């Protein structure tokens, strides 16, 4: 009944928002049957200028009689135009205005194509550098949201997650875990391409990418048929810095602080039709001490109860670096070949010392046993990735006809190690211990072909195919302590190995149409066929049948007068369990809390309807509203079960919680997001974002029921320009308590102050940041309930930090000659 009610609610909300928007955004049409078409492009790069304002007026007057915005290809179509002589005026933020005069509509020539109108970037020339006009911090496009990092002052000394938490509809918790519209299953890309580093420890990887190395971040909540179907929440594409400018240029950024140390170096060179680039960046989190408190109660049998109190500090640190180089060559004006080679390395280390008291009581409350132990735990790991890719792009004489071929092969090796010992404090004797080594490798090959073909002026076609071939191997060697002999013996029953292959073959077809002369439709379908082969030792081969799936998508959009856009989308997405979810490797580093995979997991399916409205406000402001309704079936979530005794091979664990990923059943989310960017006078600008969604979970498990509730996120960003070269910024963010299948995850509040000073004619800058300067710790309390147990976990994370950043740009930034083919990084995965 809850789901039915939710459906009516979302239909009502969609109808109300649509009525309100269309009621205020309708434009008067001129009387006539004439039509004017054209395209707006950047005069320097030849790329389309998206969402430029088009204004039609009589040649002898300035009063606007018709208008619209260009689409994502820079094109526009003005209709219902009476006979006469007209001019078309063009306006776009960051560009000089343009005009096309003396356009004649007559009975003999009712339809006129005025071709390309070239706009020049607004720029200020310095002694040896040309700086293009600033983009808005957040740009809304028909298919994605773009966050431009250079405008962000408070993230100067931070990492990728510090940027992500400022993007509408994205939530980041204190541990660096990311959700998009309330879902953590996100397809992450780097420069529009998949990377295997995201498949292991996502939070650590995102917290190891310096913000200074990131040019922009794209968020795609409803990907079309061209994109891989993987990622139930959508796609986040991290674009690293790369210059398309002529000559030699680069940048250096160094950050130091009380919690984070960052550095990045970029170098680019371009001469005519040949370009090269290279970068090196690194990040380190200094050792920080987290205070941990666990209070767990469980019913062992009908008459006995257990109570666990565990507390103690853990020291954590992390480090990583990335490097890469690439070449691109415009072989001819219509043929471009490019290639990249990258190497990344990440490591982490966690050392904990805990006191654990475990008591057993009878039905009357009498104490049957009470033992206090000391636990020492060491966990560490590292991973290294090599990634190469080659792409070829051919453009035809016909506008927007393109062939694109890409081949890439990312691969990584990782190593995870843990060791723990337990000592009885009453007699100061070590009675239990183990350690485990878990090396693994992941090799992937991607081959894709994409083709775009305009059929008519109002119809376009896209088609493509892709193969993704993955091979994963992993070995888990476990050694158990023999207290009497004081040595560790190899455990044949707890050790395991994994051989996992996944082959995904996909093809898609997408069509773009203009309906009724005012409605843009892009619809498509993707088919993905998956073959899996898994072998787990000692359990043997797992019978996983191949399966195919159709993934449809559709986007309806309309651009109104006064820079307003309305879109309605439907998309289906998939989450295939990765080998960490499937692997039976048992992590018993903390014997009270054991984690293992589930070879029986099914893929998760997500269906979503989304309605979005965007309104550009004068002087660079923006308003964006979103409503979404999403249903996940076979939803994958970690699920904990309490056991009085739990046997793994030849070892028995007492009073233990075992967490295994499960298909919990069905999860329904109804949500809205409101973003506003408001310039106040010339010196002050405010950005605010509010996300609110209602979640209903039906676990479908014998040990769980239903849970529902509201979740929300609020943030506010304020900027004040003291002068042209001195800017101050403050950012505050609050995540509410979030529900999951068994309880709630904690709320989180953070705030950051920053000030940046431009130096050396804006070639360099220094910035000072302070995050949570008045609170050293952030308190996080998690409440989970399962069959016969409850657990309350409180962690005090040291989140306070102070940082300093120095950035310097060098070189002559003269952009490529007009008409040359550029190959910018973009999320072009298929």
């Amino acid at each position: 009944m809850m789901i039915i009610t939710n459906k009516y609610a979302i239909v009502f909300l969609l109808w109300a928002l649509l009525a309100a928007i269309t009621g205020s955004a309708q434009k008067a049409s001129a009387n006539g049957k004439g039509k004017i078409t054209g395209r707006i492009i950047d005069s320097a790069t030849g790329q389309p200028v998206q969402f430029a304002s088009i204004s039609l007026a009589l040649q002898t007057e300035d009063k606007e009689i018709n208008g619209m915005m260009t689409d994502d290809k820079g094109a526009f179509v003005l209709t219902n135009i009476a006979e006469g002589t007209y001019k078309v005026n063009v306006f776009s933020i960051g560009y000089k205005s343009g005009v096309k005069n003396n356009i004649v509509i007559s009975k003999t020539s009712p339809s006129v194509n005025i071709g390309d109108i070239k706009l020049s970037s607004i720029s200020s020339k310095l002694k040896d550098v040309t700086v293009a006009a600033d983009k808005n911090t957040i740009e809304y496009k028909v298919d994605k949201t773009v966050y431009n990092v250079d405008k962000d002052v408070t993230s100067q000394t931070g990492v990728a997650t510090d940027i992500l938490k400022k993007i509408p509809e994205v939530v980041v918790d204190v541990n660096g875990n990311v959700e998009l519209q309330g879902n953590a299953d996100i397809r992450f890309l780097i420069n529009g391409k998949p990377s295997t580093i995201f498949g292991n420890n996502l939070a650590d990887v995102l917290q190891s990418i310096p913000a200074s190395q990131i040019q922009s971040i794209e968020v795609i909540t409803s990907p079309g048929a061209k994109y891989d179907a993987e990622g139930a929440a959508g796609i986040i594409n991290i674009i690293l810095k790369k210059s398309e400018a002529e000559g030699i240029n680069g940048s250096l950024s160094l950050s130091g602080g009380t919690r984070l140390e960052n550095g990045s170096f970029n170098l680019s060179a371009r001469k005519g039709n040949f370009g090269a680039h290279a970068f090196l960046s690194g990040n380190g989190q200094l050792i920080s001490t987290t205070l941990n408190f666990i209070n767990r109660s469980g019913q062992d049998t009908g008459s006995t109860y257990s109570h666990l109190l565990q507390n103690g500090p853990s020291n954590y640190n992390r480090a990583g670096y990335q490097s890469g180089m690439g070449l691109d060559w415009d072989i001819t004006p219509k043929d471009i070949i490019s290639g990249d080679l990258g190497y990344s390395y990440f490591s982490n280390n966690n050392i904990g010392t805990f006191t654990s008291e475990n008591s057993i009581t009878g039905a009357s409350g009498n104490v049957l046993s009470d033992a206090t132990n000391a636990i020492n735990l060491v966990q560490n790991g590292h991973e290294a990735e090599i990634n190469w890719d080659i792409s070829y792009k051919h453009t035809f004489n016909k506008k927007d006809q393109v062939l694109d071929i890409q081949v890439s092969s990312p691969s990584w090796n990782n190593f995870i190690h843990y060791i723990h010992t337990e000592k009885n404090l009453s007699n100061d004797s070590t009675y239990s211990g183990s350690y485990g080594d878990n090396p693994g490798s992941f090799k992937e090959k991607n081959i894709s072909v994409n083709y775009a073909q305009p059929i008519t002026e109002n119809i376009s076609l896209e088609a493509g195919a892709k193969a993704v071939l993955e091979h994963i191997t992993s070995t888990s060697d476990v050694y158990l302590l023999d207290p009497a002999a004081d040595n560790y013996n190899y455990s044949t029953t707890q050790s395991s190995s994994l051989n996992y292959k996944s082959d995904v073959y996909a093809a898609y077809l997408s069509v773009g149409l203009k309906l009724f002369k005012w409605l843009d439709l892009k619809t498509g379908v993707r088919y993905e066929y998956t073959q899996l082969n898994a072998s787990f030792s000692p359990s043997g081969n797992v019978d996983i049948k191949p399966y195919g799936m159709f993934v449809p998508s559709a986007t309806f959009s309309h651009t109104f007068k006064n820079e307003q856009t309305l879109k309605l989308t439907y998309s289906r997405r998939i989450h295939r369990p990765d080998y960490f979810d499937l692997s039976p490797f048992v992590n018993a580093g903390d014997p009270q809390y054991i984690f293992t995979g589930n070879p029986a997991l099914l893929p998760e399916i997500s269906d979503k309807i989304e309605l979005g409205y965007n309104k550009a406000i004068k002087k660079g402001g923006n308003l964006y509203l979103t409503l979404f309704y999403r249903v996940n079936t076979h939803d994958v979530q970690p699920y904990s079960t309490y056991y009085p005794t739990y046997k793994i091979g030849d070892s028995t664990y007492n009073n233990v919680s075992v967490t295994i990923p499960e298909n919990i059943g069905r999860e329904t989310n109804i949500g809205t997001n409101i973003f506003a960017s408001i310039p106040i006078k010339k010196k002050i600008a405010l950005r605010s974002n509010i996300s609110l969604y209602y979640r209903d979970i039906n676990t479908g498990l014998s040990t769980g029921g239903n849970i529902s509730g509201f979740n929300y996120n609020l943030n506010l960003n304020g900027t004040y320009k003291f002068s042209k070269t001195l800017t101050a910024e403050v950012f505050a963010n609050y995540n509410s308590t979030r529900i999951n299948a068994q309880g709630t995850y904690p709320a989180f509040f953070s705030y950051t102050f920053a000030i940046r000073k431009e130096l050396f004619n804006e070639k360099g800058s220094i910035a000072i940041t302070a995050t949570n300067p008045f609170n050293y710790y952030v308190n996080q309390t998690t409440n989970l309930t399962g069959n016969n147990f409850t657990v309350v976990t409180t962690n005090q994370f040291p989140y306070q930090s102070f940082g300093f950043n120095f950035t310097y740009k060098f070189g002559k930034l003269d952009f490529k000659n007009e008409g040359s083919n550029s190959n910018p990084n973009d999320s072009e995965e298929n």
Side-chain angles (χ1 to χ4, degrees), residues 80-99:
N80 301 322
I81 304 172
E83 295 180 24
T85 302
Y86 299 91
K87 59 184 176 182
V88 169
N89 296 299
V90 185
F91 308 93
S92 183
I93 295 172
Y95 290 92
K96 296 178 181 178
S97 59
V99 63

Side-chain angles (χ1 to χ4, degrees), residues 116-149:
D116 292 343
I117 299 177
K118 299 177 180 179
L119 298 187
S120 300
S121 295
I122 300 171
S123 61
S124 57
K125 225 166 181 166
L126 306 176
K127 289 182 180 179
D128 61 349
V129 62
T130 300
V131 182
D134 288 336
K135 297 180 180 179
N136 287 344
T137 304
I138 294 181
E139 297 179 286
Y140 283 99
K141 302 184 180 183
V142 170
D143 61 340
K144 60 191 172 187
T145 301
V146 181
Y147 189 90
N148 296 305
V149 179

Side-chain angles (χ1 to χ4, degrees), residues 166-187:
K166 297 184 177 182
I167 301 177
E169 304 182 279
V170 178
V171 173
V172 182
D173 69 14
V174 70
N175 294 307
N177 299 305
V178 183
E179 289 186 352
L180 176 59
Q181 291 184 337
N183 193 319
D185 180 38
I186 304 167
R187 174 71 161 173

Side-chain angles (χ1 to χ4, degrees), residues 198-255:
F198 290 129
N200 193 0
N201 193 332
L202 177 60
D204 270 359
V205 171
L206 291 174
Q207 292 179 96
S208 297
I209 302 176
S212 60
Q213 185 57 35
I214 300 173
Q215 175 179 307
S216 61
I217 295 179
E218 300 176 343
V219 176
I220 307 172
T221 56
S222 297
K226 182 177 181 178
Y227 296 94
D228 276 350
E230 181 66 38
I235 294 172
I236 292 181
N237 180 30
I238 299 175
I239 298 178
L240 304 180
K241 288 183 176 178
K242 175 186 173 184
S243 175
E244 293 287 332
E246 192 80 11
I248 298 176
N249 58 86
S251 64
L252 172 68
S253 179
L254 297 173
S255 299

